[in-house]
Amino acid sequence: MRTIQGVGVSAGIAIGTVRVLAAADHAVERRVIDDPQAEMDRFRAARDMAVAQLKQLRDNVAAEFGENKAELFDAHRLMLQDPDYAGCVEGLIAQDKVNAEFAVKSVAEQFAAMFAAMDSSTMQARAADVEDVSRRVMNVLQGKRDSTAQDGSIQGDAVQNGTVQNGTVQNGTVQNGIAQNGESHIIFAQDLAPSETAQLDRAKVLGLVTAKDSANSHTAILARTMGLPAITGIGDAFDPTDDGHVAVIDGASGAVFVDPDEATLTECQRRKAEAEEHLSLLRKLKGKPTETKSGQRVHLYANISRPSDVAAVLANDAEGIGLFRSEFLYLEREDWPTEEFQFDAYRQVAQEMGDRPVIIRTLDIGADKQVDYFNLDHEDNPALGYRAIRICLTRPEIFKVQLRALLRASAYGNIAIMLPMITSVQEVRDAKRILEEAKSELRGEHTDFNESIQIGVMIETPASVIMADELAAEVDFFSIGTNDLTQYTLACDRQTPSLERFADPHSPAVLRMIQMTIEAAHRHGIWCGICGELGADLSLTDTFLCLGIDELSVSPTSVLPLRNVIRNH
């Protein structure tokens, strides 16, 4: 057995035969041409044909996966129609008297390098996009078949000697995406372009493994949309001789097992069976309202820590995101995340979620979540110390960067802001004042944002429960953080293992705190949810429903079991 570790970008387990997709040779000969104008006309005709192909591909993707997933190919069409792109190609043809294929390839490399050098992850992802669309134009110029044909898993065009010819990988050998004996398979490739991924035949392709690392690329997003387990970034471990061998891939952990031993295969088969049972539950409950038999409706959301988690949210049919732990954007960096970096992350989540709510908690640094570049002083009891909203209000220059990014991203989706670790009304008012300053700055810059963006607070301290009536008058919603609420109510540090027997989240004191919070919210006409671990505790679901909870936000994998319990209540 050979074990390879990559980056899991689309969850799921696939077991099958490997089919290696050899890298296409995109070498282009440079030729001197006599008639630059005729060559420019030739480029324009090829570009128009490529745009038409992308329109067909866009329609195919929209029909199968929805309009929001097809928007990528609208963006690809716009790239080809961009005057700067076309101007650079035509300028190179006119100035250097080179053939159109060479000009397109040269401009693609120039634009891709420019995008790859940018700080924004969103713009970096454009490098692969511009290469993809330029390759399509070159294919048309070289007379290759339309890659939007619907006859196979790799429907499309490449050339001889290890590339695709009319849908076939020579010496590889995948013909129309199907192994020659007709079996389903796992594709191993150096890389896959978004258009190639969108045209995979899911009836025959079990999963994807690529050498290049593209966890946040459109290719990874499409794999998640298509429900294909996918792993990227295996690098030098990519070996064409794996073709024909049996492999197991785990799209959650990023593990690849080539020629797995019996124990590994048995364990993966067991986990795959569990996942299929979960999928059966998904098919049964997907799109069904989360409501009891008596008609009591509950909003069922999911918790995430990073943009890549959105795939699991959508795959498990959550109705929204009830807690985006934004501090992970800080924890996973060695220096301050810029406004642009945060904006890209929040916008990506908002756009992928569409109309579904996305509740983003402002940074909750401190206590057990320490970041070196914050230069926080040592504290004997950090859980009761300088953390969360206390840092934000005493270091407003940090807070405002995040608020500006959140406001800007609110123009792209249904974003709400949630303040953690609140203990007083004054803290909320001070936070809202800084928010208003950020809004005023953005108005002055003529930057769009949602003027009526909702503001909520986390109820996770006894003080916030006692002040719930006054707090409810200041905000649009409550979300109860049961982990900290249990800790502070019972005076038990949740990081101390010896206190586990005393830190009982089912304590009547904790449940009464939850009841008081819900009642205060409803008295003031706002909704109240739970985003802590207790929300997924199925032994308490009936209790929460009886208390009148409006929303539960849990880990993505807990969504369907919880929906099932609620619908049977």
Side-chain angles (χ1 to χ4, degrees):
M1 179 174 75
R2 185 163 66 96
T3 302
I4 304 168
Q5 187 60 50
V7 179
V9 297
S10 181
I13 293 175
I15 304 172
T17 304
V18 173
R19 286 295 173 257
V20 174
L21 180 63
D25 180 7
H26 298 298
V28 172
E29 179 187 1
R30 174 173 179 156
R31 292 183 286 104
V32 177
I33 49 96
D34 296 325
D35 188 347
Q37 184 58 53
E39 198 68 9
M40 283 189 279
D41 291 342
R42 183 168 165 261
F43 159 68
R44 291 168 189 158
R47 179 198 57 191
D48 292 345
M49 176 65 73
V51 169
Q53 291 176 2
L54 285 168
K55 172 64 165 60
Q56 181 62 54
L57 179 56
R58 179 233 180 277
D59 292 343
N60 295 342
V61 171
E64 188 167 4
F65 304 116
E67 288 289 332
N68 62 324
K69 298 304 177 185
E71 290 173 357
L72 161 64
F73 299 104
D74 286 330
H76 279 194
R77 290 161 61 203
L78 289 173
M79 278 187 179
L80 287 181
Q81 295 169 319
D82 177 49
D84 289 338
Y85 176 86
C88 287
V89 173
E90 294 178 13
L92 195 58
I93 293 172
Q95 179 178 331
D96 293 356
K97 295 186 177 181
V98 294
N99 53 313
E101 294 93 332
F102 182 82
V104 170
K105 184 175 178 62
S106 298
V107 170
E109 291 172 348
Q110 173 189 336
F111 275 53
M114 177 183 69
F115 286 131
M118 293 183 177
D119 291 334
S120 165
S121 59
T122 300
M123 298 310 293
Q124 289 170 357
R126 299 292 81 78
D129 294 335
V130 74
E131 290 174 338
D132 191 9
V133 299
S134 298
R135 189 154 52 241
R136 182 175 290 275
V137 176
M138 287 187 285
N139 285 344
V140 176
L141 287 166
Q142 294 171 339
K144 297 173 185 174
R145 197 168 66 89
D146 180 2
S147 64
T148 60
Q150 294 301 299
D151 60 349
S153 120
I154 304 293
Q155 291 127 350
D157 317 322
V159 292
Q160 301 285 344
N161 303 323
T163 65
V164 182
Q165 181 183 28
N166 294 333
T168 303
V169 179
Q170 305 295 331
N171 308 320
T173 48
V174 179
Q175 183 173 15
N176 293 332
I178 305 173
Q180 295 308 297
N181 59 6
E183 67 185 32
S184 298
H185 55 269
I186 300 170
I187 288 181
F188 279 35
Q190 282 286 352
D191 198 12
L192 284 171
S195 59
E196 292 172 326
T197 306
Q199 295 168 122
L200 294 172
D201 181 358
R202 287 185 297 161
K204 294 298 180 183
V205 176
L206 300 171
L208 310 173
V209 178
T210 64
K212 290 190 177 181
D213 186 358
S214 53
N216 294 315
S217 71
H218 290 305
T219 298
I221 293 169
L222 284 168
R224 292 192 287 268
T225 301
M226 297 163 71
L228 288 173
I231 295 170
T232 68
I234 67 168
D236 293 340
F238 175 77
D239 185 352
T241 65
D242 286 332
D243 186 78
H245 289 244
V246 173
V248 176
I249 69 171
D250 183 346
S253 69
V256 180
F257 306 99
V258 180
D259 296 325
D261 57 36
E262 186 175 345
T264 300
L265 186 59
T266 300
E267 172 61 16
C268 290
Q269 286 171 333
R270 182 192 66 78
R271 291 172 54 207
K272 188 172 186 292
E274 288 181 352
E276 287 171 350
E277 183 178 351
H278 185 78
L279 183 60
S280 175
L281 193 61
L282 174 61
R283 293 192 187 104
K284 173 184 173 184
L285 297 176
K286 186 172 184 178
K288 298 288 181 67
T290 307
E291 67 179 25
T292 66
K293 291 182 176 180
S294 61
Q296 180 182 351
R297 188 80 162 83
V298 180
H299 294 292
L300 187 50
Y301 297 165
N303 301 333
I304 68 170
S305 299
R306 49 187 63 81
S308 58
D309 294 340
V310 173
V313 174
L314 297 174
N316 288 280
D317 199 38
E319 299 165 23
I321 293 172
L323 171 63
F324 180 171
R325 304 178 184 93
S326 70
E327 59 270 15
F328 280 85
L329 299 181
Y330 296 75
L331 289 165
E332 295 175 348
R333 290 176 62 87
E334 296 180 357
D335 201 356
W336 302 101
T338 64
E339 178 182 326
E340 202 64 29
F341 174 84
Q342 294 189 64
F343 165 64
D344 283 342
Y346 304 143
R347 178 181 62 179
Q348 177 184 334
V349 172
Q351 288 179 321
E352 287 192 46
M353 291 298 293
D355 294 332
R356 305 187 198 197
V358 177
I359 300 172
I360 302 177
R361 178 173 71 187
T362 57
L363 68 94
D364 188 7
I365 295 297
D368 58 322
K369 291 173 283 192
Q370 297 290 323
V371 180
D372 289 342
Y373 58 83
F374 271 71
N375 296 316
L376 302 179
D377 294 333
H378 172 75
E379 296 175 303
D380 291 334
N381 194 344
L384 299 179
Y386 186 52
R387 59 173 292 197
I389 197 67
R390 297 167 183 175
I391 295 176
C392 292
L393 295 181
T394 54
R395 301 173 77 171
E397 70 282 359
I398 297 172
F399 193 29
K400 189 180 289 186
V401 168
Q402 181 174 38
L403 292 177
R404 282 176 55 94
L406 287 166
L407 287 169
R408 290 171 58 197
S410 71
Y412 296 86
N414 188 7
I415 285 178
I417 297 173
M418 183 161 64
L419 308 173
M421 197 63 185
I422 294 296
T423 60
S424 72
V425 171
Q426 190 58 50
E427 289 169 347
V428 176
R429 290 175 179 168
D430 288 345
K432 289 166 67 176
R433 174 181 52 78
I434 298 172
L435 180 65
E436 287 303 318
E437 291 175 4
K439 286 182 177 181
S440 180
E441 290 176 2
L442 293 175
R443 290 188 197 104
E445 297 165 12
H446 304 291
T447 299
D448 292 336
F449 64 91
N450 179 9
E451 288 279 0
S452 58
I453 189 169
Q454 287 203 331
I455 308 297
V457 297
M458 288 193 71
I459 302 295
E460 50 190 340
T461 66
S464 61
V465 176
I466 293 169
M467 298 300 296
D469 280 291
E470 287 81 357
L471 289 171
E474 296 284 337
V475 297
D476 300 297
F477 63 91
F478 286 161
S479 188
I480 303 171
T482 55
N483 303 344
D484 272 331
L485 184 61
T486 299
Q487 170 176 245
Y488 296 130
T489 299
L490 302 180
C492 288
D493 184 353
R494 63 179 182 169
Q495 300 300 313
T496 304
S498 61
L499 293 177
E500 284 185 10
R501 61 174 292 197
F502 302 104
D504 178 15
H506 291 207
S507 162
V510 175
L511 297 178
R512 190 168 298 181
M513 288 278 186
I514 294 172
Q515 178 182 5
M516 292 167 62
T517 302
I518 295 171
E519 290 174 351
H522 292 173
R523 278 195 295 271
H524 292 270
I526 67 172
W527 63 265
C528 181
I530 292 175
C531 63
E533 293 298 318
L534 218 55
D537 187 335
L538 301 182
S539 69
L540 285 174
T541 304
D542 284 357
T543 299
F544 294 147
L545 291 171
C546 291
L547 292 177
I549 199 71
D550 301 298
E551 176 250 19
L552 293 166
S553 190
V554 296
S555 67
T557 55
S558 297
V559 168
L560 294 175
L562 183 54
R563 178 176 293 164
N564 197 39
V565 169
I566 292 172
R567 286 179 58 82
N568 285 291
H569 175 77

